[in-house]
Amino acid sequence: MSHELRHLGDTLTGTEAGDLATAVSAGRTLTQALQLVQASRRAAVRQAVEEATSAMGAQDPAQLSALLYGIQGAKSRPTEVLPQWTLPGYLADYGDLTSSVGELVRSARSAVTCSTFNFQRSSVLWEALREVAQRGSVSVRVYLDAGAAASNPWTPSATEVAEQLPGAKVFRTTERDGKLVVNHAKFVAVDHQFLIVTSANMSMSAERSNIELGLRVHSEALCEAVEKQLLSAESVLYELMPPSVQTTS
């Protein structure tokens, strides 16, 4: 495999590769197809595509779409599943530690989605998410339980979380059938390919001293399916914090 082709595979997410392949096979130019890619990433993706096609001599649209579909297919298969532990005394000797999620979030290039019941300032994600949200090139979505702060005075409200994460989209649960919906799903999705599903809330105790177990899965298909499910439920289960709140620094 050439350096240029490997670089293209590293640059594109599976979704981007599939969207570009579909657009090119439908007769769109590369410039037109690139409108499907996040604006902040278009220049890098264009360069990677042009370098790969030049190195392979694949100037024909059919060849380019086949190449892109190949990348999408390669990225759709799970490549790794690891346990992610929190154990007192750092007793875990296989897999990742829950506290390592901060490093994964900081490595994000295009998107981070988080869902939790309890988000504490002590969590490694409190500053990691702020850092990523402020870049402007990474889409950040956070789903929170609206009642968690009411039951614990130390838990930041959704308003406070939104103030901490200017530029992110912060959602809190709303009422359905006369009752406040409880958001108990705990996961972190990074770049539409790394998915961590865990028993741990976003807090220092959950990340360092409790007994918690999660799984870190590298699978674009699974990660995107989880994200799309929550996106489809947004309008009936959550409310978006006002933009005026989210721009507070």
Side-chain angles (χ1 to χ4, degrees), residues 137-169:
S137 59
V138 179
S139 170
V140 178
R141 305 176 86 84
V142 178
Y143 298 89
L144 301 169
D145 184 83
S151 62
N152 185 345
W154 300 107
T155 297
S157 67
T159 298
E160 292 173 300
V161 174
E163 291 173 346
Q164 168 69 7
L165 305 177
K169 290 188 175 181

mmCIF file of all heavy atoms in Angstrom, residues 137-169:
data_model
loop_
_atom_site.group_PDB
_atom_site.id
_atom_site.type_symbol
_atom_site.label_atom_id
_atom_site.label_comp_id
_atom_site.label_asym_id
_atom_site.label_seq_id
_atom_site.Cartn_x
_atom_site.Cartn_y
_atom_site.Cartn_z
ATOM 1 N N SER A 137 -13.131 23.191 15.087
ATOM 2 C CA SER A 137 -13.085 22.221 13.986
ATOM 3 C C SER A 137 -13.689 20.877 14.374
ATOM 4 O O SER A 137 -13.792 19.982 13.537
ATOM 5 C CB SER A 137 -11.634 22.013 13.541
ATOM 6 O OG SER A 137 -10.837 21.533 14.616
ATOM 7 N N VAL A 138 -14.078 20.729 15.646
ATOM 8 C CA VAL A 138 -14.628 19.470 16.141
ATOM 9 C C VAL A 138 -16.060 19.698 16.619
ATOM 10 O O VAL A 138 -16.317 20.596 17.420
ATOM 11 C CB VAL A 138 -13.782 18.903 17.301
ATOM 12 C CG1 VAL A 138 -14.388 17.598 17.814
ATOM 13 C CG2 VAL A 138 -12.345 18.664 16.845
ATOM 14 N N SER A 139 -16.987 18.902 16.095
ATOM 15 C CA SER A 139 -18.377 18.967 16.534
ATOM 16 C C SER A 139 -18.515 18.238 17.863
ATOM 17 O O SER A 139 -18.141 17.073 17.976
ATOM 18 C CB SER A 139 -19.286 18.317 15.485
ATOM 19 O OG SER A 139 -20.598 18.160 15.974
ATOM 20 N N VAL A 140 -19.044 18.923 18.885
ATOM 21 C CA VAL A 140 -19.194 18.333 20.224
ATOM 22 C C VAL A 140 -20.666 18.372 20.619
ATOM 23 O O VAL A 140 -21.312 19.426 20.588
ATOM 24 C CB VAL A 140 -18.353 19.097 21.267
ATOM 25 C CG1 VAL A 140 -18.569 18.507 22.658
ATOM 26 C CG2 VAL A 140 -16.874 19.040 20.900
ATOM 27 N N ARG A 141 -21.194 17.210 20.992
ATOM 28 C CA ARG A 141 -22.568 17.095 21.474
ATOM 29 C C ARG A 141 -22.543 16.387 22.825
ATOM 30 O O ARG A 141 -21.874 15.360 22.969
ATOM 31 C CB ARG A 141 -23.449 16.300 20.503
ATOM 32 C CG ARG A 141 -23.456 16.831 19.101
ATOM 33 C CD ARG A 141 -24.268 15.944 18.166
ATOM 34 N NE ARG A 141 -25.675 16.291 18.180
ATOM 35 C CZ ARG A 141 -26.201 17.266 17.448
ATOM 36 N NH1 ARG A 141 -25.424 17.982 16.656
ATOM 37 N NH2 ARG A 141 -27.493 17.527 17.497
ATOM 38 N N VAL A 142 -23.270 16.928 23.790
ATOM 39 C CA VAL A 142 -23.313 16.357 25.139
ATOM 40 C C VAL A 142 -24.773 16.204 25.550
ATOM 41 O O VAL A 142 -25.556 17.160 25.451
ATOM 42 C CB VAL A 142 -22.567 17.244 26.152
ATOM 43 C CG1 VAL A 142 -22.667 16.655 27.551
ATOM 44 C CG2 VAL A 142 -21.097 17.396 25.743
ATOM 45 N N TYR A 143 -25.130 15.002 25.993
ATOM 46 C CA TYR A 143 -26.486 14.717 26.452
ATOM 47 C C TYR A 143 -26.458 14.494 27.963
ATOM 48 O O TYR A 143 -25.676 13.676 28.456
ATOM 49 C CB TYR A 143 -27.031 13.472 25.755
ATOM 50 C CG TYR A 143 -27.131 13.608 24.251
ATOM 51 C CD1 TYR A 143 -26.052 13.261 23.431
ATOM 52 C CD2 TYR A 143 -28.292 14.071 23.647
ATOM 53 C CE1 TYR A 143 -26.137 13.375 22.054
ATOM 54 C CE2 TYR A 143 -28.382 14.189 22.269
ATOM 55 C CZ TYR A 143 -27.300 13.843 21.476
ATOM 56 O OH TYR A 143 -27.387 13.959 20.101
ATOM 57 N N LEU A 144 -27.335 15.224 28.692
ATOM 58 C CA LEU A 144 -27.326 15.197 30.149
ATOM 59 C C LEU A 144 -28.713 14.905 30.711
ATOM 60 O O LEU A 144 -29.723 15.140 30.044
ATOM 61 C CB LEU A 144 -26.858 16.552 30.688
ATOM 62 C CG LEU A 144 -25.478 17.038 30.269
ATOM 63 C CD1 LEU A 144 -25.313 18.498 30.665
ATOM 64 C CD2 LEU A 144 -24.392 16.188 30.905
ATOM 65 N N ASP A 145 -28.725 14.436 31.940
ATOM 66 C CA ASP A 145 -29.969 14.248 32.660
ATOM 67 C C ASP A 145 -30.353 15.551 33.348
ATOM 68 O O ASP A 145 -29.550 16.111 34.113
ATOM 69 C CB ASP A 145 -29.828 13.135 33.692
ATOM 70 C CG ASP A 145 -31.136 12.847 34.387
ATOM 71 O OD1 ASP A 145 -31.944 12.092 33.815
ATOM 72 O OD2 ASP A 145 -31.358 13.391 35.489
ATOM 73 N N ALA A 146 -31.562 16.035 33.086
ATOM 74 C CA ALA A 146 -31.977 17.324 33.641
ATOM 75 C C ALA A 146 -32.167 17.277 35.151
ATOM 76 O O ALA A 146 -32.015 18.292 35.832
ATOM 77 C CB ALA A 146 -33.271 17.773 32.973
ATOM 78 N N GLY A 147 -32.496 16.104 35.697
ATOM 79 C CA GLY A 147 -32.765 16.020 37.123
ATOM 80 C C GLY A 147 -31.564 15.718 37.983
ATOM 81 O O GLY A 147 -31.649 15.794 39.214
ATOM 82 N N ALA A 148 -30.409 15.388 37.376
ATOM 83 C CA ALA A 148 -29.240 14.990 38.166
ATOM 84 C C ALA A 148 -28.767 16.106 39.090
ATOM 85 O O ALA A 148 -28.421 15.868 40.249
ATOM 86 C CB ALA A 148 -28.109 14.559 37.240
ATOM 87 N N ALA A 149 -28.746 17.336 38.584
ATOM 88 C CA ALA A 149 -28.271 18.458 39.396
ATOM 89 C C ALA A 149 -29.230 18.754 40.546
ATOM 90 O O ALA A 149 -28.808 19.165 41.631
ATOM 91 C CB ALA A 149 -28.092 19.700 38.519
ATOM 92 N N ALA A 150 -30.528 18.514 40.314
ATOM 93 C CA ALA A 150 -31.515 18.793 41.356
ATOM 94 C C ALA A 150 -31.361 17.855 42.545
ATOM 95 O O ALA A 150 -31.644 18.233 43.690
ATOM 96 C CB ALA A 150 -32.920 18.670 40.777
ATOM 97 N N SER A 151 -30.866 16.653 42.305
ATOM 98 C CA SER A 151 -30.717 15.674 43.375
ATOM 99 C C SER A 151 -29.353 15.717 44.045
ATOM 100 O O SER A 151 -29.138 15.058 45.055
ATOM 101 C CB SER A 151 -30.964 14.260 42.826
ATOM 102 O OG SER A 151 -30.011 13.941 41.823
ATOM 103 N N ASN A 152 -28.422 16.493 43.479
ATOM 104 C CA ASN A 152 -27.072 16.574 44.039
ATOM 105 C C ASN A 152 -26.540 17.992 43.860
ATOM 106 O O ASN A 152 -26.255 18.416 42.737
ATOM 107 C CB ASN A 152 -26.140 15.584 43.331
ATOM 108 C CG ASN A 152 -24.746 15.543 43.943
ATOM 109 O OD1 ASN A 152 -24.356 16.427 44.713
ATOM 110 N ND2 ASN A 152 -23.977 14.528 43.596
ATOM 111 N N PRO A 153 -26.377 18.751 44.934
ATOM 112 C CA PRO A 153 -25.942 20.149 44.812
ATOM 113 C C PRO A 153 -24.538 20.308 44.243
ATOM 114 O O PRO A 153 -24.163 21.400 43.811
ATOM 115 C CB PRO A 153 -26.006 20.659 46.265
ATOM 116 C CG PRO A 153 -25.891 19.428 47.107
ATOM 117 C CD PRO A 153 -26.593 18.359 46.342
ATOM 118 N N TRP A 154 -23.751 19.228 44.212
ATOM 119 C CA TRP A 154 -22.392 19.308 43.683
ATOM 120 C C TRP A 154 -22.360 19.047 42.182
ATOM 121 O O TRP A 154 -21.312 19.188 41.552
ATOM 122 C CB TRP A 154 -21.487 18.297 44.390
ATOM 123 C CG TRP A 154 -21.404 18.536 45.869
ATOM 124 C CD1 TRP A 154 -21.980 17.801 46.865
ATOM 125 C CD2 TRP A 154 -20.722 19.602 46.520
ATOM 126 N NE1 TRP A 154 -21.707 18.323 48.097
ATOM 127 C CE2 TRP A 154 -20.919 19.452 47.918
ATOM 128 C CE3 TRP A 154 -19.957 20.684 46.080
ATOM 129 C CZ2 TRP A 154 -20.391 20.320 48.850
ATOM 130 C CZ3 TRP A 154 -19.426 21.561 47.021
ATOM 131 C CH2 TRP A 154 -19.641 21.375 48.378
ATOM 132 N N THR A 155 -23.478 18.649 41.598
ATOM 133 C CA THR A 155 -23.531 18.345 40.165
ATOM 134 C C THR A 155 -23.858 19.595 39.362
ATOM 135 O O THR A 155 -24.892 20.235 39.604
ATOM 136 C CB THR A 155 -24.593 17.271 39.883
ATOM 137 O OG1 THR A 155 -24.220 16.061 40.553
ATOM 138 C CG2 THR A 155 -24.706 16.997 38.389
ATOM 139 N N PRO A 156 -23.018 19.984 38.413
ATOM 140 C CA PRO A 156 -23.315 21.158 37.579
ATOM 141 C C PRO A 156 -24.613 20.951 36.800
ATOM 142 O O PRO A 156 -24.897 19.849 36.321
ATOM 143 C CB PRO A 156 -22.108 21.241 36.639
ATOM 144 C CG PRO A 156 -21.026 20.490 37.333
ATOM 145 C CD PRO A 156 -21.710 19.393 38.083
ATOM 146 N N SER A 157 -25.396 22.001 36.665
ATOM 147 C CA SER A 157 -26.610 21.936 35.865
ATOM 148 C C SER A 157 -26.258 21.927 34.385
ATOM 149 O O SER A 157 -25.110 22.192 34.000
ATOM 150 C CB SER A 157 -27.493 23.144 36.171
ATOM 151 O OG SER A 157 -26.852 24.335 35.714
ATOM 152 N N ALA A 158 -27.245 21.644 33.551
ATOM 153 C CA ALA A 158 -27.014 21.676 32.104
ATOM 154 C C ALA A 158 -26.582 23.071 31.659
ATOM 155 O O ALA A 158 -25.772 23.220 30.740
ATOM 156 C CB ALA A 158 -28.276 21.236 31.367
ATOM 157 N N THR A 159 -27.121 24.103 32.321
ATOM 158 C CA THR A 159 -26.716 25.480 32.006
ATOM 159 C C THR A 159 -25.232 25.684 32.290
ATOM 160 O O THR A 159 -24.494 26.272 31.484
ATOM 161 C CB THR A 159 -27.543 26.485 32.819
ATOM 162 O OG1 THR A 159 -28.919 26.362 32.471
ATOM 163 C CG2 THR A 159 -27.079 27.915 32.558
ATOM 164 N N GLU A 160 -24.764 25.185 33.429
ATOM 165 C CA GLU A 160 -23.349 25.332 33.785
ATOM 166 C C GLU A 160 -22.452 24.536 32.842
ATOM 167 O O GLU A 160 -21.347 24.975 32.499
ATOM 168 C CB GLU A 160 -23.132 24.886 35.230
ATOM 169 C CG GLU A 160 -23.782 25.811 36.247
ATOM 170 C CD GLU A 160 -23.696 25.276 37.662
ATOM 171 O OE1 GLU A 160 -24.227 24.173 37.911
ATOM 172 O OE2 GLU A 160 -23.084 25.947 38.517
ATOM 173 N N VAL A 161 -22.906 23.360 32.436
ATOM 174 C CA VAL A 161 -22.129 22.568 31.485
ATOM 175 C C VAL A 161 -22.032 23.307 30.154
ATOM 176 O O VAL A 161 -20.961 23.372 29.528
ATOM 177 C CB VAL A 161 -22.755 21.176 31.284
ATOM 178 C CG1 VAL A 161 -22.028 20.420 30.170
ATOM 179 C CG2 VAL A 161 -22.705 20.379 32.584
ATOM 180 N N ALA A 162 -23.148 23.890 29.706
ATOM 181 C CA ALA A 162 -23.140 24.645 28.455
ATOM 182 C C ALA A 162 -22.203 25.848 28.536
ATOM 183 O O ALA A 162 -21.508 26.184 27.573
ATOM 184 C CB ALA A 162 -24.552 25.105 28.104
ATOM 185 N N GLU A 163 -22.162 26.500 29.684
ATOM 186 C CA GLU A 163 -21.248 27.627 29.871
ATOM 187 C C GLU A 163 -19.791 27.170 29.829
ATOM 188 O O GLU A 163 -18.910 27.891 29.355
ATOM 189 C CB GLU A 163 -21.542 28.322 31.198
ATOM 190 C CG GLU A 163 -22.868 29.061 31.226
ATOM 191 C CD GLU A 163 -23.214 29.594 32.599
ATOM 192 O OE1 GLU A 163 -22.567 29.166 33.590
ATOM 193 O OE2 GLU A 163 -24.128 30.432 32.700
ATOM 194 N N GLN A 164 -19.528 25.952 30.317
ATOM 195 C CA GLN A 164 -18.179 25.404 30.315
ATOM 196 C C GLN A 164 -17.736 25.026 28.916
ATOM 197 O O GLN A 164 -16.541 25.026 28.616
ATOM 198 C CB GLN A 164 -18.128 24.160 31.225
ATOM 199 C CG GLN A 164 -16.870 23.303 31.130
ATOM 200 C CD GLN A 164 -15.629 23.978 31.693
ATOM 201 O OE1 GLN A 164 -15.705 25.051 32.284
ATOM 202 N NE2 GLN A 164 -14.468 23.351 31.501
ATOM 203 N N LEU A 165 -18.702 24.732 28.027
ATOM 204 C CA LEU A 165 -18.383 24.202 26.697
ATOM 205 C C LEU A 165 -18.889 25.120 25.594
ATOM 206 O O LEU A 165 -19.766 24.738 24.798
ATOM 207 C CB LEU A 165 -18.998 22.807 26.534
ATOM 208 C CG LEU A 165 -18.635 21.767 27.589
ATOM 209 C CD1 LEU A 165 -19.380 20.468 27.329
ATOM 210 C CD2 LEU A 165 -17.134 21.534 27.623
ATOM 211 N N PRO A 166 -18.370 26.335 25.498
ATOM 212 C CA PRO A 166 -18.816 27.233 24.426
ATOM 213 C C PRO A 166 -18.503 26.620 23.062
ATOM 214 O O PRO A 166 -17.415 26.111 22.824
ATOM 215 C CB PRO A 166 -17.996 28.507 24.665
ATOM 216 C CG PRO A 166 -16.792 28.050 25.439
ATOM 217 C CD PRO A 166 -17.273 26.934 26.305
ATOM 218 N N GLY A 167 -19.498 26.631 22.195
ATOM 219 C CA GLY A 167 -19.309 26.042 20.872
ATOM 220 C C GLY A 167 -19.877 24.646 20.762
ATOM 221 O O GLY A 167 -20.106 24.149 19.663
ATOM 222 N N ALA A 168 -20.112 23.986 21.904
ATOM 223 C CA ALA A 168 -20.699 22.642 21.881
ATOM 224 C C ALA A 168 -22.217 22.740 21.879
ATOM 225 O O ALA A 168 -22.793 23.775 22.215
ATOM 226 C CB ALA A 168 -20.237 21.851 23.104
ATOM 227 N N LYS A 169 -22.870 21.658 21.491
ATOM 228 C CA LYS A 169 -24.316 21.553 21.606
ATOM 229 C C LYS A 169 -24.609 20.700 22.833
ATOM 230 O O LYS A 169 -24.244 19.530 22.877
ATOM 231 C CB LYS A 169 -24.930 20.946 20.350
ATOM 232 C CG LYS A 169 -24.864 21.884 19.143
ATOM 233 C CD LYS A 169 -25.649 21.345 17.958
ATOM 234 C CE LYS A 169 -25.657 22.362 16.824
ATOM 235 N NZ LYS A 169 -26.438 21.864 15.659
#
